[in-house]
Amino acid sequence: MVLVSHSRDVAAATAALARALTGTGSPAPVAAAGGLPDGSIGTSAELVRAAVAKADEGAGVVVLCDMGSAVLTVKALLADGSLGTADTRIVDAPFVEGAVTALVTASAGGDLAAVLAATDDARTYRKL
């Protein structure tokens, strides 16, 4: 899984939370692509490409984005094929809830289809 946020801190903290909530064992790979290379706020295509390469273990990569240019950047990279050979999918899910459900599902052995279904459930889960 790759987390694309405008903020390095938000992406890293969300990845840490998702890892912590997977429980015991070895979590599936998660990489954060937050902010610009200099640490400022923004979205970096180069950081997204590096994060996808880091997270790719051959089973597919799910990408969650926070908003705006993060989504547009990932869509552009998918369209131009520059995210490598991985079966990479952007998902429409809330950033934190989607990250947790994706990582828990993948860490429990779920395949790409199961992870996509879990993130879809996270998108529609109501709190009240």
Side-chain angles (χ1 to χ4, degrees):
M1 173 177 67
V2 171
L3 300 172
V4 182
S5 173
H6 287 74
S7 165
R8 180 180 293 173
D9 292 341
V10 169
T14 303
L17 176 64
R19 278 188 208 98
L21 293 177
T22 61
T24 60
S26 179
V30 56
L36 297 175
D38 68 2
S40 62
I41 298 295
T43 304
S44 166
E46 81 181 71
L47 291 179
V48 172
R49 282 192 290 273
V52 169
K54 180 179 178 183
D56 181 21
E57 291 186 341
V61 178
V62 171
V63 181
L64 286 100
C65 302
D66 60 2
M67 63 189 126
S69 66
V71 175
L72 296 174
T73 299
V74 172
K75 284 183 174 182
L77 294 172
L78 287 169
D80 73 14
S82 67
L83 288 180
T85 59
D87 186 3
T88 304
R89 310 281 183 91
I90 188 172
V91 295
D92 182 15
F95 196 67
V96 174
E97 293 90 335
V100 171
T101 59
L103 194 61
V104 168
T105 302
S107 298
D111 63 7
L112 183 60
V115 173
L116 293 171
T119 60
D120 192 50
D121 285 345
R123 183 177 54 80
T124 59
Y125 179 75
R126 297 194 47 91
K127 296 174 183 165
L128 295 178

